[in-house]
Amino acid sequence: QVQLVESGGGLVQPGGSLRLSCAVSGVTSDSDYYAIGWFRQAPGRGREVVSCITRRGAIRNYLDSVKGRFTISGDVAKNAVYLQMNALKPEDTGVYYCAVPSSDILYCPARELYTNWGQGTQVTVSS
């Protein structure tokens, strides 16, 4: 079974940068997953999709509020996905999760279709 582990969170001042990593293990073939999404959940709010990338990078989606500031990338050989976050704002604060949908989904789906989740990494943007 595919497992995911996030890292790279921390405390950063507004305007700063962080790079999150998502390591995927338990992969036995290229068909185990096709897309990886990054999500975040702020205190008292629901989990929202921040960005998603398909396995070969053909599709990259972003939440409107992070466009131009966040960049998602992937290293297929290493089964890793990264989220470079620049010009961070206090409203970017939250727990960031990576997740994959079931292997039969060949696009970036809605949140409800993601089945395997990491444990999350905390990002705090504050002065």
Side-chain angles (χ1 to χ4, degrees), residues 29-62:
S29 73
D30 287 351
S31 61
D32 280 352
Y33 69 94
Y34 191 77
I36 292 184
W38 278 103
F39 297 78
R40 68 185 179 192
Q41 186 164 17
R45 300 186 64 178
R47 194 170 297 186
E48 62 180 354
V49 61
V50 175
S51 185
C52 175
I53 186 170
T54 51
R55 192 170 178 82
R56 301 295 175 180
I59 298 174
R60 304 182 195 215
N61 295 337
Y62 295 95

PDB file of all heavy atoms in Angstrom, residues 29-62:
ATOM      1  N   SER A  29       4.742  -0.263  -8.780  1.00  0.00           N
ATOM      2  CA  SER A  29       4.734  -0.020 -10.218  1.00  0.00           C
ATOM      3  C   SER A  29       4.254   1.404 -10.484  1.00  0.00           C
ATOM      4  O   SER A  29       3.714   2.073  -9.593  1.00  0.00           O
ATOM      5  CB  SER A  29       3.821  -1.006 -10.936  1.00  0.00           C
ATOM      6  OG  SER A  29       2.466  -0.697 -10.700  1.00  0.00           O
ATOM      7  N   ASP A  30       4.457   1.850 -11.727  1.00  0.00           N
ATOM      8  CA  ASP A  30       4.026   3.203 -12.097  1.00  0.00           C
ATOM      9  C   ASP A  30       2.512   3.360 -12.019  1.00  0.00           C
ATOM     10  O   ASP A  30       2.009   4.483 -11.978  1.00  0.00           O
ATOM     11  CB  ASP A  30       4.484   3.529 -13.518  1.00  0.00           C
ATOM     12  CG  ASP A  30       5.982   3.771 -13.594  1.00  0.00           C
ATOM     13  OD1 ASP A  30       6.619   3.843 -12.518  1.00  0.00           O
ATOM     14  OD2 ASP A  30       6.507   3.884 -14.711  1.00  0.00           O
ATOM     15  N   SER A  31       1.785   2.269 -11.987  1.00  0.00           N
ATOM     16  CA  SER A  31       0.330   2.359 -11.964  1.00  0.00           C
ATOM     17  C   SER A  31      -0.238   2.458 -10.554  1.00  0.00           C
ATOM     18  O   SER A  31      -1.450   2.526 -10.376  1.00  0.00           O
ATOM     19  CB  SER A  31      -0.285   1.154 -12.683  1.00  0.00           C
ATOM     20  OG  SER A  31       0.081  -0.049 -12.026  1.00  0.00           O
ATOM     21  N   ASP A  32       0.618   2.471  -9.524  1.00  0.00           N
ATOM     22  CA  ASP A  32       0.121   2.548  -8.149  1.00  0.00           C
ATOM     23  C   ASP A  32      -0.568   3.875  -7.847  1.00  0.00           C
ATOM     24  O   ASP A  32      -1.469   3.939  -7.023  1.00  0.00           O
ATOM     25  CB  ASP A  32       1.265   2.327  -7.165  1.00  0.00           C
ATOM     26  CG  ASP A  32       1.614   0.853  -6.996  1.00  0.00           C
ATOM     27  OD1 ASP A  32       0.854   0.015  -7.525  1.00  0.00           O
ATOM     28  OD2 ASP A  32       2.628   0.546  -6.360  1.00  0.00           O
ATOM     29  N   TYR A  33      -0.072   4.922  -8.468  1.00  0.00           N
ATOM     30  CA  TYR A  33      -0.727   6.217  -8.329  1.00  0.00           C
ATOM     31  C   TYR A  33      -0.407   7.050  -9.544  1.00  0.00           C
ATOM     32  O   TYR A  33       0.616   6.846 -10.191  1.00  0.00           O
ATOM     33  CB  TYR A  33      -0.287   6.938  -7.044  1.00  0.00           C
ATOM     34  CG  TYR A  33       1.152   7.407  -7.048  1.00  0.00           C
ATOM     35  CD1 TYR A  33       1.485   8.699  -7.443  1.00  0.00           C
ATOM     36  CD2 TYR A  33       2.177   6.561  -6.646  1.00  0.00           C
ATOM     37  CE1 TYR A  33       2.803   9.124  -7.448  1.00  0.00           C
ATOM     38  CE2 TYR A  33       3.494   6.980  -6.649  1.00  0.00           C
ATOM     39  CZ  TYR A  33       3.799   8.258  -7.058  1.00  0.00           C
ATOM     40  OH  TYR A  33       5.103   8.677  -7.064  1.00  0.00           O
ATOM     41  N   TYR A  34      -1.282   7.966  -9.870  1.00  0.00           N
ATOM     42  CA  TYR A  34      -1.068   8.805 -11.055  1.00  0.00           C
ATOM     43  C   TYR A  34      -0.973  10.279 -10.701  1.00  0.00           C
ATOM     44  O   TYR A  34      -0.350  11.043 -11.427  1.00  0.00           O
ATOM     45  CB  TYR A  34      -2.206   8.580 -12.054  1.00  0.00           C
ATOM     46  CG  TYR A  34      -1.943   9.197 -13.398  1.00  0.00           C
ATOM     47  CD1 TYR A  34      -1.078   8.593 -14.302  1.00  0.00           C
ATOM     48  CD2 TYR A  34      -2.546  10.395 -13.771  1.00  0.00           C
ATOM     49  CE1 TYR A  34      -0.818   9.166 -15.531  1.00  0.00           C
ATOM     50  CE2 TYR A  34      -2.293  10.971 -15.002  1.00  0.00           C
ATOM     51  CZ  TYR A  34      -1.437  10.350 -15.881  1.00  0.00           C
ATOM     52  OH  TYR A  34      -1.170  10.913 -17.089  1.00  0.00           O
ATOM     53  N   ALA A  35      -1.562  10.658  -9.599  1.00  0.00           N
ATOM     54  CA  ALA A  35      -1.541  12.066  -9.213  1.00  0.00           C
ATOM     55  C   ALA A  35      -1.231  12.182  -7.728  1.00  0.00           C
ATOM     56  O   ALA A  35      -1.522  11.268  -6.946  1.00  0.00           O
ATOM     57  CB  ALA A  35      -2.885  12.719  -9.512  1.00  0.00           C
ATOM     58  N   ILE A  36      -0.633  13.287  -7.352  1.00  0.00           N
ATOM     59  CA  ILE A  36      -0.397  13.607  -5.934  1.00  0.00           C
ATOM     60  C   ILE A  36      -0.896  15.015  -5.679  1.00  0.00           C
ATOM     61  O   ILE A  36      -0.609  15.930  -6.458  1.00  0.00           O
ATOM     62  CB  ILE A  36       1.085  13.506  -5.563  1.00  0.00           C
ATOM     63  CG1 ILE A  36       1.569  12.064  -5.627  1.00  0.00           C
ATOM     64  CG2 ILE A  36       1.313  14.050  -4.154  1.00  0.00           C
ATOM     65  CD1 ILE A  36       3.008  11.881  -5.182  1.00  0.00           C
ATOM     66  N   GLY A  37      -1.617  15.166  -4.619  1.00  0.00           N
ATOM     67  CA  GLY A  37      -2.123  16.488  -4.253  1.00  0.00           C
ATOM     68  C   GLY A  37      -1.528  16.974  -2.953  1.00  0.00           C
ATOM     69  O   GLY A  37      -1.170  16.183  -2.083  1.00  0.00           O
ATOM     70  N   TRP A  38      -1.413  18.284  -2.831  1.00  0.00           N
ATOM     71  CA  TRP A  38      -1.055  18.946  -1.569  1.00  0.00           C
ATOM     72  C   TRP A  38      -2.312  19.629  -1.043  1.00  0.00           C
ATOM     73  O   TRP A  38      -3.001  20.329  -1.799  1.00  0.00           O
ATOM     74  CB  TRP A  38       0.043  19.981  -1.768  1.00  0.00           C
ATOM     75  CG  TRP A  38       1.426  19.430  -1.798  1.00  0.00           C
ATOM     76  CD1 TRP A  38       2.212  19.221  -2.890  1.00  0.00           C
ATOM     77  CD2 TRP A  38       2.211  19.030  -0.668  1.00  0.00           C
ATOM     78  NE1 TRP A  38       3.422  18.710  -2.509  1.00  0.00           N
ATOM     79  CE2 TRP A  38       3.457  18.589  -1.150  1.00  0.00           C
ATOM     80  CE3 TRP A  38       1.980  18.995   0.712  1.00  0.00           C
ATOM     81  CZ2 TRP A  38       4.470  18.119  -0.317  1.00  0.00           C
ATOM     82  CZ3 TRP A  38       2.994  18.544   1.536  1.00  0.00           C
ATOM     83  CH2 TRP A  38       4.214  18.105   1.025  1.00  0.00           C
ATOM     84  N   PHE A  39      -2.569  19.461   0.219  1.00  0.00           N
ATOM     85  CA  PHE A  39      -3.726  20.052   0.876  1.00  0.00           C
ATOM     86  C   PHE A  39      -3.264  20.807   2.117  1.00  0.00           C
ATOM     87  O   PHE A  39      -2.161  20.587   2.604  1.00  0.00           O
ATOM     88  CB  PHE A  39      -4.718  18.954   1.317  1.00  0.00           C
ATOM     89  CG  PHE A  39      -5.289  18.171   0.181  1.00  0.00           C
ATOM     90  CD1 PHE A  39      -4.555  17.178  -0.438  1.00  0.00           C
ATOM     91  CD2 PHE A  39      -6.569  18.417  -0.275  1.00  0.00           C
ATOM     92  CE1 PHE A  39      -5.073  16.445  -1.491  1.00  0.00           C
ATOM     93  CE2 PHE A  39      -7.108  17.702  -1.326  1.00  0.00           C
ATOM     94  CZ  PHE A  39      -6.354  16.706  -1.934  1.00  0.00           C
ATOM     95  N   ARG A  40      -4.111  21.671   2.616  1.00  0.00           N
ATOM     96  CA  ARG A  40      -3.822  22.316   3.884  1.00  0.00           C
ATOM     97  C   ARG A  40      -5.101  22.475   4.685  1.00  0.00           C
ATOM     98  O   ARG A  40      -6.196  22.553   4.121  1.00  0.00           O
ATOM     99  CB  ARG A  40      -3.152  23.681   3.682  1.00  0.00           C
ATOM    100  CG  ARG A  40      -4.043  24.752   3.072  1.00  0.00           C
ATOM    101  CD  ARG A  40      -3.240  26.003   2.802  1.00  0.00           C
ATOM    102  NE  ARG A  40      -4.059  27.057   2.194  1.00  0.00           N
ATOM    103  CZ  ARG A  40      -3.540  28.161   1.659  1.00  0.00           C
ATOM    104  NH1 ARG A  40      -2.217  28.350   1.653  1.00  0.00           N
ATOM    105  NH2 ARG A  40      -4.339  29.073   1.138  1.00  0.00           N
ATOM    106  N   GLN A  41      -4.916  22.521   5.983  1.00  0.00           N
ATOM    107  CA  GLN A  41      -6.047  22.706   6.880  1.00  0.00           C
ATOM    108  C   GLN A  41      -5.654  23.687   7.966  1.00  0.00           C
ATOM    109  O   GLN A  41      -4.744  23.418   8.753  1.00  0.00           O
ATOM    110  CB  GLN A  41      -6.481  21.384   7.491  1.00  0.00           C
ATOM    111  CG  GLN A  41      -7.743  21.476   8.311  1.00  0.00           C
ATOM    112  CD  GLN A  41      -8.357  20.115   8.585  1.00  0.00           C
ATOM    113  OE1 GLN A  41      -7.716  19.074   8.437  1.00  0.00           O
ATOM    114  NE2 GLN A  41      -9.627  20.115   8.964  1.00  0.00           N
ATOM    115  N   ALA A  42      -6.322  24.832   7.963  1.00  0.00           N
ATOM    116  CA  ALA A  42      -6.099  25.844   8.986  1.00  0.00           C
ATOM    117  C   ALA A  42      -6.997  25.537  10.185  1.00  0.00           C
ATOM    118  O   ALA A  42      -8.032  24.871  10.037  1.00  0.00           O
ATOM    119  CB  ALA A  42      -6.413  27.226   8.425  1.00  0.00           C
ATOM    120  N   PRO A  43      -6.641  26.019  11.359  1.00  0.00           N
ATOM    121  CA  PRO A  43      -7.466  25.773  12.543  1.00  0.00           C
ATOM    122  C   PRO A  43      -8.911  26.212  12.324  1.00  0.00           C
ATOM    123  O   PRO A  43      -9.158  27.334  11.879  1.00  0.00           O
ATOM    124  CB  PRO A  43      -6.782  26.614  13.623  1.00  0.00           C
ATOM    125  CG  PRO A  43      -5.368  26.710  13.177  1.00  0.00           C
ATOM    126  CD  PRO A  43      -5.428  26.768  11.682  1.00  0.00           C
ATOM    127  N   GLY A  44      -9.850  25.313  12.610  1.00  0.00           N
ATOM    128  CA  GLY A  44     -11.257  25.642  12.488  1.00  0.00           C
ATOM    129  C   GLY A  44     -11.799  25.664  11.070  1.00  0.00           C
ATOM    130  O   GLY A  44     -12.948  26.066  10.853  1.00  0.00           O
ATOM    131  N   ARG A  45     -10.985  25.242  10.117  1.00  0.00           N
ATOM    132  CA  ARG A  45     -11.423  25.265   8.730  1.00  0.00           C
ATOM    133  C   ARG A  45     -11.295  23.879   8.112  1.00  0.00           C
ATOM    134  O   ARG A  45     -10.596  23.005   8.630  1.00  0.00           O
ATOM    135  CB  ARG A  45     -10.607  26.279   7.926  1.00  0.00           C
ATOM    136  CG  ARG A  45     -10.729  27.700   8.447  1.00  0.00           C
ATOM    137  CD  ARG A  45     -10.024  28.680   7.547  1.00  0.00           C
ATOM    138  NE  ARG A  45     -10.638  28.743   6.218  1.00  0.00           N
ATOM    139  CZ  ARG A  45     -10.228  29.555   5.258  1.00  0.00           C
ATOM    140  NH1 ARG A  45      -9.209  30.361   5.469  1.00  0.00           N
ATOM    141  NH2 ARG A  45     -10.830  29.563   4.088  1.00  0.00           N
ATOM    142  N   GLY A  46     -11.954  23.687   7.002  1.00  0.00           N
ATOM    143  CA  GLY A  46     -11.874  22.420   6.303  1.00  0.00           C
ATOM    144  C   GLY A  46     -10.580  22.266   5.537  1.00  0.00           C
ATOM    145  O   GLY A  46      -9.817  23.223   5.373  1.00  0.00           O
ATOM    146  N   ARG A  47     -10.323  21.062   5.092  1.00  0.00           N
ATOM    147  CA  ARG A  47      -9.107  20.779   4.331  1.00  0.00           C
ATOM    148  C   ARG A  47      -9.330  21.190   2.882  1.00  0.00           C
ATOM    149  O   ARG A  47     -10.302  20.775   2.262  1.00  0.00           O
ATOM    150  CB  ARG A  47      -8.780  19.295   4.433  1.00  0.00           C
ATOM    151  CG  ARG A  47      -7.391  18.917   3.980  1.00  0.00           C
ATOM    152  CD  ARG A  47      -7.070  17.485   4.348  1.00  0.00           C
ATOM    153  NE  ARG A  47      -7.066  17.274   5.798  1.00  0.00           N
ATOM    154  CZ  ARG A  47      -6.703  16.136   6.370  1.00  0.00           C
ATOM    155  NH1 ARG A  47      -6.307  15.117   5.627  1.00  0.00           N
ATOM    156  NH2 ARG A  47      -6.742  16.014   7.681  1.00  0.00           N
ATOM    157  N   GLU A  48      -8.425  22.003   2.349  1.00  0.00           N
ATOM    158  CA  GLU A  48      -8.569  22.467   0.976  1.00  0.00           C
ATOM    159  C   GLU A  48      -7.375  22.038   0.135  1.00  0.00           C
ATOM    160  O   GLU A  48      -6.256  21.926   0.622  1.00  0.00           O
ATOM    161  CB  GLU A  48      -8.692  24.004   0.925  1.00  0.00           C
ATOM    162  CG  GLU A  48      -7.497  24.760   1.443  1.00  0.00           C
ATOM    163  CD  GLU A  48      -7.661  26.272   1.367  1.00  0.00           C
ATOM    164  OE1 GLU A  48      -8.675  26.748   0.798  1.00  0.00           O
ATOM    165  OE2 GLU A  48      -6.771  26.981   1.874  1.00  0.00           O
ATOM    166  N   VAL A  49      -7.643  21.806  -1.127  1.00  0.00           N
ATOM    167  CA  VAL A  49      -6.565  21.430  -2.034  1.00  0.00           C
ATOM    168  C   VAL A  49      -5.764  22.666  -2.393  1.00  0.00           C
ATOM    169  O   VAL A  49      -6.319  23.716  -2.725  1.00  0.00           O
ATOM    170  CB  VAL A  49      -7.126  20.724  -3.292  1.00  0.00           C
ATOM    171  CG1 VAL A  49      -8.064  21.622  -4.063  1.00  0.00           C
ATOM    172  CG2 VAL A  49      -5.993  20.240  -4.172  1.00  0.00           C
ATOM    173  N   VAL A  50      -4.469  22.553  -2.301  1.00  0.00           N
ATOM    174  CA  VAL A  50      -3.562  23.651  -2.619  1.00  0.00           C
ATOM    175  C   VAL A  50      -2.998  23.486  -4.023  1.00  0.00           C
ATOM    176  O   VAL A  50      -2.925  24.440  -4.796  1.00  0.00           O
ATOM    177  CB  VAL A  50      -2.407  23.714  -1.599  1.00  0.00           C
ATOM    178  CG1 VAL A  50      -1.379  24.772  -1.994  1.00  0.00           C
ATOM    179  CG2 VAL A  50      -2.957  23.984  -0.201  1.00  0.00           C
ATOM    180  N   SER A  51      -2.614  22.264  -4.344  1.00  0.00           N
ATOM    181  CA  SER A  51      -2.000  22.013  -5.640  1.00  0.00           C
ATOM    182  C   SER A  51      -2.033  20.524  -5.920  1.00  0.00           C
ATOM    183  O   SER A  51      -2.187  19.710  -5.004  1.00  0.00           O
ATOM    184  CB  SER A  51      -0.552  22.519  -5.647  1.00  0.00           C
ATOM    185  OG  SER A  51       0.028  22.390  -6.933  1.00  0.00           O
ATOM    186  N   CYS A  52      -1.905  20.186  -7.184  1.00  0.00           N
ATOM    187  CA  CYS A  52      -1.894  18.780  -7.589  1.00  0.00           C
ATOM    188  C   CYS A  52      -1.031  18.638  -8.829  1.00  0.00           C
ATOM    189  O   CYS A  52      -0.983  19.537  -9.672  1.00  0.00           O
ATOM    190  CB  CYS A  52      -3.320  18.300  -7.864  1.00  0.00           C
ATOM    191  SG  CYS A  52      -3.411  16.626  -8.507  1.00  0.00           S
ATOM    192  N   ILE A  53      -0.365  17.495  -8.927  1.00  0.00           N
ATOM    193  CA  ILE A  53       0.460  17.219 -10.096  1.00  0.00           C
ATOM    194  C   ILE A  53       0.237  15.778 -10.502  1.00  0.00           C
ATOM    195  O   ILE A  53       0.101  14.888  -9.652  1.00  0.00           O
ATOM    196  CB  ILE A  53       1.953  17.490  -9.796  1.00  0.00           C
ATOM    197  CG1 ILE A  53       2.806  17.341 -11.055  1.00  0.00           C
ATOM    198  CG2 ILE A  53       2.472  16.578  -8.680  1.00  0.00           C
ATOM    199  CD1 ILE A  53       4.246  17.822 -10.871  1.00  0.00           C
ATOM    200  N   THR A  54       0.174  15.536 -11.792  1.00  0.00           N
ATOM    201  CA  THR A  54       0.108  14.166 -12.264  1.00  0.00           C
ATOM    202  C   THR A  54       1.529  13.611 -12.395  1.00  0.00           C
ATOM    203  O   THR A  54       2.496  14.359 -12.413  1.00  0.00           O
ATOM    204  CB  THR A  54      -0.633  14.067 -13.601  1.00  0.00           C
ATOM    205  OG1 THR A  54      -0.065  15.008 -14.522  1.00  0.00           O
ATOM    206  CG2 THR A  54      -2.104  14.370 -13.410  1.00  0.00           C
ATOM    207  N   ARG A  55       1.610  12.303 -12.495  1.00  0.00           N
ATOM    208  CA  ARG A  55       2.871  11.603 -12.330  1.00  0.00           C
ATOM    209  C   ARG A  55       3.977  12.115 -13.247  1.00  0.00           C
ATOM    210  O   ARG A  55       5.116  12.231 -12.833  1.00  0.00           O
ATOM    211  CB  ARG A  55       2.657  10.112 -12.538  1.00  0.00           C
ATOM    212  CG  ARG A  55       3.830   9.245 -12.121  1.00  0.00           C
ATOM    213  CD  ARG A  55       3.439   7.783 -12.135  1.00  0.00           C
ATOM    214  NE  ARG A  55       4.535   6.919 -11.801  1.00  0.00           N
ATOM    215  CZ  ARG A  55       4.940   6.648 -10.563  1.00  0.00           C
ATOM    216  NH1 ARG A  55       4.306   7.201  -9.551  1.00  0.00           N
ATOM    217  NH2 ARG A  55       5.940   5.842 -10.346  1.00  0.00           N
ATOM    218  N   ARG A  56       3.650  12.424 -14.473  1.00  0.00           N
ATOM    219  CA  ARG A  56       4.659  12.919 -15.414  1.00  0.00           C
ATOM    220  C   ARG A  56       4.641  14.443 -15.526  1.00  0.00           C
ATOM    221  O   ARG A  56       5.290  14.999 -16.405  1.00  0.00           O
ATOM    222  CB  ARG A  56       4.427  12.293 -16.796  1.00  0.00           C
ATOM    223  CG  ARG A  56       4.497  10.773 -16.790  1.00  0.00           C
ATOM    224  CD  ARG A  56       5.870  10.248 -16.449  1.00  0.00           C
ATOM    225  NE  ARG A  56       5.901   8.789 -16.328  1.00  0.00           N
ATOM    226  CZ  ARG A  56       6.991   8.091 -16.031  1.00  0.00           C
ATOM    227  NH1 ARG A  56       8.136   8.709 -15.814  1.00  0.00           N
ATOM    228  NH2 ARG A  56       6.931   6.771 -15.946  1.00  0.00           N
ATOM    229  N   GLY A  57       3.897  15.083 -14.680  1.00  0.00           N
ATOM    230  CA  GLY A  57       3.899  16.545 -14.657  1.00  0.00           C
ATOM    231  C   GLY A  57       3.046  17.192 -15.732  1.00  0.00           C
ATOM    232  O   GLY A  57       3.118  18.409 -15.923  1.00  0.00           O
ATOM    233  N   ALA A  58       2.240  16.405 -16.442  1.00  0.00           N
ATOM    234  CA  ALA A  58       1.450  16.969 -17.534  1.00  0.00           C
ATOM    235  C   ALA A  58       0.372  17.915 -17.021  1.00  0.00           C
ATOM    236  O   ALA A  58      -0.010  18.867 -17.693  1.00  0.00           O
ATOM    237  CB  ALA A  58       0.816  15.846 -18.351  1.00  0.00           C
ATOM    238  N   ILE A  59      -0.144  17.654 -15.840  1.00  0.00           N
ATOM    239  CA  ILE A  59      -1.177  18.494 -15.235  1.00  0.00           C
ATOM    240  C   ILE A  59      -0.642  19.022 -13.908  1.00  0.00           C
ATOM    241  O   ILE A  59      -0.140  18.265 -13.090  1.00  0.00           O
ATOM    242  CB  ILE A  59      -2.476  17.703 -14.975  1.00  0.00           C
ATOM    243  CG1 ILE A  59      -3.055  17.186 -16.285  1.00  0.00           C
ATOM    244  CG2 ILE A  59      -3.493  18.570 -14.241  1.00  0.00           C
ATOM    245  CD1 ILE A  59      -4.252  16.281 -16.109  1.00  0.00           C
ATOM    246  N   ARG A  60      -0.728  20.331 -13.733  1.00  0.00           N
ATOM    247  CA  ARG A  60      -0.377  20.974 -12.452  1.00  0.00           C
ATOM    248  C   ARG A  60      -1.462  21.998 -12.157  1.00  0.00           C
ATOM    249  O   ARG A  60      -1.641  22.936 -12.919  1.00  0.00           O
ATOM    250  CB  ARG A  60       0.991  21.660 -12.538  1.00  0.00           C
ATOM    251  CG  ARG A  60       2.116  20.726 -12.955  1.00  0.00           C
ATOM    252  CD  ARG A  60       3.462  21.414 -12.974  1.00  0.00           C
ATOM    253  NE  ARG A  60       4.438  20.609 -13.703  1.00  0.00           N
ATOM    254  CZ  ARG A  60       5.715  20.529 -13.384  1.00  0.00           C
ATOM    255  NH1 ARG A  60       6.180  21.212 -12.335  1.00  0.00           N
ATOM    256  NH2 ARG A  60       6.531  19.790 -14.097  1.00  0.00           N
ATOM    257  N   ASN A  61      -2.144  21.795 -11.064  1.00  0.00           N
ATOM    258  CA  ASN A  61      -3.229  22.701 -10.678  1.00  0.00           C
ATOM    259  C   ASN A  61      -2.861  23.428  -9.394  1.00  0.00           C
ATOM    260  O   ASN A  61      -2.127  22.895  -8.556  1.00  0.00           O
ATOM    261  CB  ASN A  61      -4.525  21.912 -10.460  1.00  0.00           C
ATOM    262  CG  ASN A  61      -5.039  21.263 -11.731  1.00  0.00           C
ATOM    263  OD1 ASN A  61      -4.719  21.705 -12.825  1.00  0.00           O
ATOM    264  ND2 ASN A  61      -5.821  20.228 -11.588  1.00  0.00           N
ATOM    265  N   TYR A  62      -3.412  24.634  -9.256  1.00  0.00           N
ATOM    266  CA  TYR A  62      -3.135  25.428  -8.055  1.00  0.00           C
ATOM    267  C   TYR A  62      -4.406  26.103  -7.560  1.00  0.00           C
ATOM    268  O   TYR A  62      -5.263  26.518  -8.353  1.00  0.00           O
ATOM    269  CB  TYR A  62      -2.109  26.525  -8.344  1.00  0.00           C
ATOM    270  CG  TYR A  62      -0.738  26.015  -8.719  1.00  0.00           C
ATOM    271  CD1 TYR A  62      -0.378  25.863 -10.048  1.00  0.00           C
ATOM    272  CD2 TYR A  62       0.199  25.685  -7.741  1.00  0.00           C
ATOM    273  CE1 TYR A  62       0.874  25.396 -10.406  1.00  0.00           C
ATOM    274  CE2 TYR A  62       1.457  25.221  -8.083  1.00  0.00           C
ATOM    275  CZ  TYR A  62       1.786  25.080  -9.419  1.00  0.00           C
ATOM    276  OH  TYR A  62       3.038  24.612  -9.768  1.00  0.00           O
TER     277      TYR A  62
END
